[in-house]
Amino acid sequence: MLADVQQLDQDAAKLAATALWPLTDDELTACLIGAYRLEQAVAALQTRLVHQATTRGLPTRKGQRSTAGWLRTQLHLDPRPARELADRAALLAQHPTVEQALLDGKVDVRQAAAIAAAVTAVTTGLNDLDHPAQADAPDQPAQANANDQPAQANANAQPAQADANANANANANANDQLAQANALDQPGPAADSDFATANEIGRPAAAEIVQQAEATLIEMADRLPAYQLRRVGERILAHVAPHLADRADAMALARQEARAHRTRGFTLSAPVEGVVRLSGLLGVEDAALVQAALHPLCNPIAEDERRPAQRRADALIEVCRLALRTGELPQTGGEPAQLAVTVAYNPLTQALGTATTDTGTRLPAEAARRLACDARILPAVLGTDGQILDLGRTHRLTTTALRRALTVRDRGCAFPDCDRPPRWTDAHHITAWTNGGTTTLDNLVLLCRHHRLIHHPTAGWRIRPAPDHLPDFIPPPDIDPTQHPRRNLYHPRQ
């Protein structure tokens, strides 16, 4: 095998030095895709080698306290890539089906890691359903992840030693909090196997659910990148076991909320040459409030040359100035920061389910009740199929109510698998108003500024309302010869 690896190294180096100008556009694209697949195959080999080294205890025999530390010395890696490689090797070793999908080219290495993490979470969730006492018990203090190493300050940030020390302190605080969060969120012994003990669900049923979740996510990888798979994986039980999804979601969100409360923090470093570094961790509920407060103040304006990060920084300062002047965000001169929160309603039990903000962030029902005390909430009640049963109104204008309804229904750009949130979209008529189309919910759809181009005659895409009143997107024949209707898999549906 060593000879084969060395030969592959030589062949790859030879290919990399080959002149590219003779290639046609199609050949260039095909070579790029092939090179990327080769990279993923090599990445799979790396993870298997790292896991084998860890299993043999090679890092310990070489005097290293962790696999990540050993990788740093052997491969001259920075701390973060070394930790990621060590963690990925350990994770994929527990999921041979996902690892095989990586070897077969069905997923890339980041997609594989996202799927494996989601399947592990499903296993943990099913186990919690059958052991609620264990799930509700407070977590024991956990040791830091063995693969984590103390973070080092960016050597290129500032030449001065004082600056390096300040940056190191700020980065260390944030990384310590992240390491603690990762350690607390690791699955326990009951989640080491995909076939968790199941008293209520039953061992065969639990195993089948886990396998279905794994297969579904691998299939979705053909369309969704890793970060979208990670979000879809959070609610994969809704696809494969909807009868368990609500209970599992409630328990998972409760664990996340408790974890976020323990690990929350905010740090301002000592000033160095007039610059202060901000770092910290927030729970999703607190982060949603911060985003809602900053967003109205960081929209780009004409001839605005500020970077997005600079606009956010200026918005944060402006919010603080307003708070100092008034004691609270103003209620006059315009609407205050506002969140739209969707809560699923079960008419049989008359109970509220998981809440979702207009940015797609999921919250426990208790968090939504707390937000109602602190921010202006637009309530929307959904039926079992996701149709809007009742929509709260903050204005008498019909256009405002329709916009709110579109936000609740589409959750963002409705184009298949686009991840743009509602605030980045505009409402578009499916049948043009000039062609007799009505300004009603069934004839409107949210599209981001990029995907509104599908209205162009040469785009080839068509939109039509489906019987369930949701928009279907019909791809052109060159994308799908069967022209099978598509929908957005990324934005959550109730």
Side-chain angles (χ1 to χ4, degrees):
M1 180 176 181
L2 177 59
D4 291 337
V5 172
Q6 292 173 340
Q7 184 62 48
L8 179 62
D9 182 22
Q10 296 175 5
D11 292 343
K14 182 178 178 181
L15 277 174
T18 303
L20 305 179
W21 63 264
L23 298 176
T24 65
D25 291 349
D26 290 341
E27 290 173 340
L28 182 65
T29 302
C31 286
L32 177 61
I33 295 173
Y36 183 74
R37 289 177 178 172
L38 177 62
E39 179 189 10
Q40 301 311 304
V42 172
L45 175 60
Q46 283 182 332
T47 60
R48 297 183 65 225
L49 290 171
V50 171
H51 177 66
Q52 183 63 217
T54 304
T55 302
R56 295 184 181 186
L58 188 56
T60 303
R61 295 206 308 269
K62 294 297 183 179
Q64 296 294 330
R65 294 182 298 173
S66 67
T67 302
W70 178 70
L71 290 172
R72 290 175 59 188
T73 60
Q74 295 296 316
L75 305 180
H76 306 292
L77 294 176
D78 290 340
R80 181 175 178 179
R83 288 195 303 270
E84 290 177 347
L85 179 54
D87 292 342
R88 186 164 58 242
L91 184 62
L92 293 182
Q94 300 174 16
H95 300 277
T97 302
V98 180
E99 187 176 54
Q100 187 60 48
L102 175 60
L103 292 172
D104 294 340
K106 296 180 180 179
V107 300
D108 64 23
V109 67
R110 297 183 65 84
Q111 289 174 316
I115 293 172
V119 173
T120 297
V122 168
T123 306
T124 304
L126 294 178
N127 184 72
D128 286 349
L129 288 178
D130 294 310
H131 302 85
Q134 296 179 11
D136 294 337
D139 293 338
Q140 298 297 324
Q143 297 294 328
N145 191 328
N147 291 326
D148 289 342
Q149 295 292 334
Q152 295 180 353
N154 185 348
N156 295 325
Q158 297 288 346
Q161 183 63 36
D163 193 13
N165 291 338
N167 288 336
N169 291 335
N171 290 336
N173 288 334
N175 282 292
D176 287 346
Q177 294 171 359
L178 284 171
Q180 180 185 4
N182 290 333
L184 292 171
D185 205 32
Q186 293 296 319
D192 287 342
S193 169
D194 285 351
F195 303 92
T197 301
N199 296 326
E200 178 184 341
I201 304 172
R203 180 186 293 267
E208 183 179 354
I209 290 172
V210 171
Q211 291 173 356
Q212 288 178 351
E214 192 172 54
T216 300
L217 288 170
I218 291 175
E219 182 180 356
M220 287 183 173
D222 186 50
R223 288 174 54 181
L224 302 181
Y227 77 98
Q228 291 185 338
L229 280 174
R230 195 171 295 111
R231 290 290 297 272
V232 173
E234 293 176 357
R235 55 184 187 273
I236 190 61
L237 278 180
H239 292 267
V240 300
H243 60 292
L244 301 174
D246 287 344
R247 292 174 56 201
D249 271 356
M251 300 180 94
L253 288 171
R255 289 197 307 270
Q256 291 179 11
E257 187 176 28
R259 171 176 170 263
H261 183 74
R262 290 191 301 267
T263 58
R264 72 191 186 285
F266 181 72
T267 301
L268 285 79
S269 70
V272 177
E273 297 184 359
V275 177
V276 175
R277 179 182 294 273
L278 282 67
S279 61
L281 297 171
L282 292 175
V284 293
E285 177 184 351
D286 298 332
L289 287 174
V290 173
Q291 289 174 340
L294 295 182
H295 181 77
L297 299 172
C298 61
N299 285 328
I301 58 179
E303 300 181 358
D304 189 351
E305 298 181 354
R306 296 176 299 169
R307 300 190 306 273
Q310 292 174 328
R311 293 200 299 268
R312 289 192 293 270
D314 294 343
L316 175 62
I317 296 170
E318 185 61 26
V319 166
C320 293
R321 286 175 176 165
L322 290 170
L324 287 173
R325 286 200 304 264
T326 66
E328 60 181 358
L329 294 179
Q331 298 295 318
T332 58
E335 289 189 337
Q338 181 170 293
L339 286 173
V341 177
T342 304
V343 183
Y345 177 73
N346 188 328
L348 297 179
T349 61
Q350 296 184 350
L352 296 179
T354 300
T356 307
T357 70
D358 55 358
T359 60
T361 301
R362 301 184 305 155
L363 300 172
E366 286 296 324
R369 294 187 182 98
R370 286 194 298 269
L371 283 172
C373 299
D374 300 327
R376 190 170 182 180
I377 299 297
L378 177 69
V381 179
L382 305 182
T384 55
D385 294 327
Q387 70 272 25
I388 300 173
L389 302 180
D390 181 44
L391 180 66
R393 293 186 299 168
T394 58
H395 296 281
R396 296 179 61 187
L397 297 176
T398 303
T399 53
T400 300
L402 279 175
R403 175 69 192 200
R404 301 295 187 217
L406 283 168
T407 297
V408 171
R409 187 195 69 184
D410 293 345
R411 304 299 182 88
C413 179
F415 188 84
D417 309 332
C418 180
D419 61 356
R420 294 297 185 264
R423 290 166 178 163
W424 294 11
T425 63
D426 297 310
H428 290 264
H429 287 80
I430 296 176
T431 300
W433 184 76
T434 54
N435 294 333
T438 58
T439 306
T440 59
L441 185 60
D442 286 348
N443 193 47
L444 293 172
V445 63
L446 290 184
L447 295 174
C448 67
R449 297 192 176 185
H450 173 69
H451 288 125
R452 67 182 179 180
L453 296 177
I454 66 172
H455 284 308
H456 195 277
T458 62
W461 285 85
R462 292 185 294 112
I463 312 176
R464 70 183 183 195
D468 60 358
H469 304 286
L470 296 177
D472 279 340
F473 289 75
I474 313 302
D478 59 331
I479 294 180
D480 181 2
T482 65
Q483 294 192 290
H484 184 74
R486 297 187 182 188
R487 289 184 177 179
N488 193 308
L489 296 179
Y490 176 75
H491 293 303
R493 300 284 183 187
Q494 293 294 333

